[in-house]
Amino acid sequence: MTARAADRARYDRATAHLDAPLAIVDLDAFDANADDLVRRSGGKPVRVASKSVRCRALLERVLARDGFAGIMSFTLAESLWLARSGFDDVLLAYPSADRAGYAELAADPKLAAAVTVMVDDPAQLDLIDAARAGGREVVRVCLELDTSLKLLGGRVRIGARRSPLHSPAHVADLARAVVRRPGFRVVGIMAYEGHVAGVGDAVAGRPLRSRAVRLMQAAARRELAERRAAVVAAVRAVVPDLEFVNGGGTGSVQYTAAEDAVTEVAAGSGLYVPRLFDNYTSFTGRPAALFALPVVRRPGVGVVTVLGGGYPASGAPGADRLPVPYLPEGLRHDPQEGAGEVQTPLLGSPADDLLIGDRVWFRHAKAGELCERFDALHLVEGEAVAATVPTYRGEGRAFL
């Protein structure tokens, strides 16, 4: 029996008392992935990206481990909810236009001490001030650096379109604007190199593309390390008591952590290891989050149909955004139908061994987005469900 076949048998036994569709997290794999992130971070703390987890119980579990500290959130409403739930170090990774949320933040000393907001434009400070509604608490601010690699005099740009702040002078100028403004305090810098951390460099069957990605990423790492150090020096000249410099992501943890200017790294997808994180030379994780769909039809030889399955991931549309059948091995989507809203046909010889009511286990393309489809995660330990915990959705929270 292969390791994957053994996992399938174990998951089937552990959840035999439950009806599918259902979602699980394999705690052995989750903990092993957490250990690997800490190993790769080289002693620098790992801040957990909550959008890639979306489950308070698992956020608590990973933050209880040595090597992890703080949360990187994705909306202001989520940040405030987490702070009210007892998480005392929440960095909002994206600028917000949530006026009601800013009014809450500026009026509550506990929230203002726990939550740091992201800015990259003075207009965002104007919005926060206009939303204060009389609240006088000092708002903690993190400045975001654009990490994109610019070539040919800026005519070629590689990287996500995030912050407009690209140079040390740009970031230092905004730091000075914040320092001059009552009611705000600069506490950190963030620089997320998504073109390194979130792009696989070993795509199966595409050796030339993979080599090109590796060359691009090596050049991007060198350029960013030099520029990030200069940015940090420029901002520390304005804000000597800067608390943190955050960088990286699951795919670049060890590279980012090696930079002297960086004080902490961020990661989240590396805990669940969805399918988009299979194609890296820098690390190999264990799939920890899966979902099971029941076989409800057997349309013919080499075909089964499962209930549901149309759970595409965000990003540029493409086949790599679809969930993939994982267990039993050897199943594939019908190219004419793909992953369907209410049913998904699957092709391959393993289909002939599946009966009505049997399960097919899938991996989502991304990490936390799976939790938008399920109210609960069944936490599998060995051959049993150790606990069942709510996702954000299960707690009635849909932040974005």
Side-chain angles (χ1 to χ4, degrees), residues 32-116:
N33 293 333
D35 287 342
D36 187 62
L37 287 171
V38 171
R39 176 189 63 79
R40 291 197 286 135
S41 71
K44 292 185 178 176
V46 179
R47 185 180 289 274
V48 184
S50 63
K51 77 176 183 65
S52 300
V53 179
R54 302 193 201 202
C55 171
R56 280 199 299 169
L58 289 175
L59 289 173
E60 291 169 353
R61 182 183 183 92
V62 73
L63 285 170
R65 303 176 70 87
D66 290 341
F68 290 87
I71 289 175
M72 178 176 282
S73 58
F74 60 99
T75 73
L76 181 55
E78 179 211 15
S79 305
L80 300 177
W81 179 64
L82 291 173
R84 291 193 185 283
S85 301
F87 297 96
D88 60 4
D89 179 5
V90 183
L91 170 61
L92 174 57
Y94 306 89
S96 176
D98 180 353
R99 292 176 173 82
Y102 283 130
E104 266 193 81
L105 180 68
D108 189 315
K110 177 185 174 183
L111 296 179
V115 175
T116 300

Side-chain angles (χ1 to χ4, degrees), residues 198-204 206 209 213 273-280 291 309-325 333 335 338-339 362-367 369:
V199 178
D201 64 349
V203 182
R206 304 191 68 178
R209 172 180 167 80
V213 169
V273 186
R275 64 169 294 203
L276 283 176
F277 284 82
D278 285 347
N279 304 317
Y280 287 80
F291 64 96
Y311 308 153
S314 60
D320 66 341
R321 301 289 146 167
L322 297 179
V324 290
H333 288 296
F362 289 76
R363 295 173 66 197
H364 202 276
K366 298 185 79 172
E369 291 182 22

Side-chain angles (χ1 to χ4, degrees), residues 14-35:
T15 62
H17 61 294
L18 301 169
D19 285 331
L22 60 87
I24 67 166
V25 169
D26 183 332
L27 290 180
D28 292 337
F30 182 89
D31 290 344
N33 293 333
D35 287 342

Side-chain angles (χ1 to χ4, degrees), residues 76 92-99 102-103 105 117-132 139-145 161-165 174 177-178 181-184:
L76 181 55
L92 174 57
Y94 306 89
S96 176
D98 180 353
R99 292 176 173 82
Y102 283 130
L105 180 68
V117 304
M118 192 66 60
V119 301
D120 57 34
D121 189 314
Q124 294 154 355
L125 302 175
D126 295 339
L127 187 149
I128 296 170
D129 267 340
R132 283 179 181 270
V139 175
R140 292 166 54 86
V141 166
C142 179
L143 310 177
E144 181 169 1
L145 168 68
R161 296 183 182 276
R162 293 176 62 111
S163 170
L165 307 176
L174 184 56
V178 177
R181 193 158 184 154
F184 296 92

